[in-house]
Amino acid sequence: MKFEDILVGINGFGKFQMMIILLQSVSRITLPCNFLLNNFMAAVPDHRCHIRGLDDGDAFANLTLDQRLTVSIPTQEDGTLSSCRMFREPQFHLLHNSSNATEIPAVSCLYGWVYDNTTFSTTLATEWDLVCDRKGMNKATATIFFIGVMSGAAVFGTLSDRFGRKTMLLVAYLSSITFGLASAVSTSYVMFVIMRFFTGFLLTGISIISYVLSVEWFDVKHRTFGGIMVSLDWSVGNMMLSGIAYSVNNWRWLVVATTSPLILSVIIWWWLPESARWLMANGQVEKAHMYLEKCAKMNDRMEFMAALKPESLSNVEMLENRGKNYTYLDLVRTPNMRKVAICTGIVWFGVAFTYYGISLNVTGFGLNVYLTQFLYAAIEIPSKLMVYCSLNAIGRRPTQSATLLLTGLCMAVNLFTPAYLWIFRTVFAILGKTFSETSFTTVFLYTTELYPTVVRQNGVGYTSFVARLGVSIAPLIALLDDVWRPLPEVMFCAAAVCSGLVACLLPETTNARLPETIEDIELPRSGCQTIKPERSDATLKPLTGGDEREC
């Protein structure tokens, strides 16, 4: 007997599975609100140097504001006032002849900045003057947050494989609330970035554990649809972020608004089940049987469980290696696992690097930032429907590769499109975002299916670590436009294309059982007979590449 046989017997896609998705939706909706929070919290409004120090009393008395700015701040090539430079002394002659204004030496702002508060009342940039020479510190807030996410992926992957999905999920909930609210009351830049590091560290636990916990309760036939439903939480939260940010334009209260829903998640957590797969893989047969009974009862399949006693679960094939503690080293000890680990790492890096490279740029297309954020989020809904059809029609591997290559193509088109064709650029940016989101949705499900149960959370933790490495670099890549303006887009485009090609090297997992042990991954190397699956039900054999194999 295999665990998939049990899932089919108790209905691997019923009310119980829907309950799991709904119970975790509250916490998962908060993830995009926090991961993309820098689009609003760290926004840089229009600004100029403060000229109060140049007013010696009577000098500016008879001048209008425009005249004061003319004699105090140099203009740029496009005729707008400089954001970061000013004259050391008022240049009154510019009131009569401004043709030689560019020849007058200017200095960095001496008395601070004046900000346009029309869109944002306060942001990180306005509170701590993270502009001009300090704009790198503003970008670094996102990088430090995602370094925390990267570190948390590695830690929570191991801990949830050792202590269970449900237990570590509660730890992630409580800790995320604590550090999230602490970052909202930060009194200095240093305190803020430290709190954001730990917030990212803990939020990634929610991200990877909640997804795995959901998918491990679905049977083979409905795993694709289940994975898509789970991923819809991200899109809903992404759209909600634009509305929340529009309503709350103070960055401190915005952090509170995006963190506080986790309090409800802590209450809901008591109704969440533990992963029966994990319990059985770790020898906790009695507890696994208890949760399987709950599932069968809610799904009206108690007649199946009546014949399945706790001692019968000891014969399930997945328990052959119970009692062994698996680590990240088990991802690279054997040839097939090593290939999967290397390729998925590269693919995750490319997916996350390009997705956040696009998502964190909501100001570059001439539209309102809230509208751009909403469009970027809304387009994810049809993209998930598209990926569901694609995953079933052509499979995981072709979908993963094609979506990444198409993302790179859309970014390449924008590279050669003039800036004044902003509508055309926006259309291709949204198309690129669509394919990028499709690739992200695919890679979550694909990776969960590639790694066996005994190291699945380690595998997802490792790939999330590599992905967040890409994410943490993405905000800093934007600073390279000072070196060469198209350079950031070139790097995002190249990453998408390269990772799309690497995805072709991964095995196919469509309509295949979730592997339970590392031997299920390595088994194809020992000369098994290949058979074609006739249907996606309990008759399926252990998975590997594009076919099912039976020894």
Side-chain angles (χ1 to χ4, degrees), residues 177-191:
I177 294 170
T178 302
F179 285 97
L181 296 180
S183 65
V185 296
S186 298
T187 56
S188 68
Y189 175 81
V190 173
M191 177 182 175

Side-chain angles (χ1 to χ4, degrees), residues 322-355:
R322 68 170 179 257
K324 177 181 177 181
N325 289 325
Y326 289 88
T327 67
Y328 287 107
L329 291 177
D330 290 291
L331 300 179
V332 295
R333 291 186 195 277
T334 53
N336 282 358
M337 279 298 303
R338 185 160 52 246
K339 176 183 176 182
V340 168
I342 293 173
C343 291
T344 54
I346 295 173
V347 170
W348 268 86
F349 181 92
V351 168
F353 185 65
T354 53
Y355 176 87

Side-chain angles (χ1 to χ4, degrees), residues 196-314:
R196 286 297 287 172
F197 171 86
F198 285 108
T199 302
F201 182 96
L202 297 156
L203 283 172
T204 194
I206 300 174
S207 176
I208 63 177
I209 296 173
S210 61
Y211 192 89
V212 171
L213 177 58
S214 298
V215 171
E216 286 186 337
W217 274 103
F218 289 106
D219 61 16
V220 172
K221 185 177 180 179
H222 300 98
R223 195 188 310 141
T224 301
F225 186 69
I228 298 299
M229 288 190 66
V230 173
S231 69
L232 284 174
D233 295 336
W234 178 278
S235 301
V236 173
N238 211 346
M239 286 190 289
M240 288 177 60
L241 174 60
S242 59
I244 294 172
Y246 181 79
S247 304
V248 184
N249 58 9
N250 180 295
W251 76 266
R252 293 183 185 273
W253 285 109
L254 183 57
V255 173
V256 172
T258 55
T259 303
S260 53
L262 289 175
I263 298 174
L264 178 59
S265 298
V266 173
I267 300 173
I268 294 174
W269 174 88
W270 297 97
W271 285 271
L272 269 178
E274 178 57 276
S275 167
R277 288 182 186 270
W278 178 85
L279 290 169
M280 292 172 65
N282 286 271
Q284 300 184 40
V285 179
E286 294 282 347
K287 201 169 182 180
H289 187 271
M290 181 264 292
Y291 281 117
L292 290 170
E293 271 194 333
K294 287 185 176 181
C295 178
K297 184 177 181 180
M298 187 172 289
N299 292 344
D300 298 322
R301 296 292 181 89
M302 282 303 293
E303 67 277 3
F304 178 87
M305 286 302 297
L308 186 65
K309 304 302 180 183
E311 53 271 18
S312 303
L313 296 181
S314 300

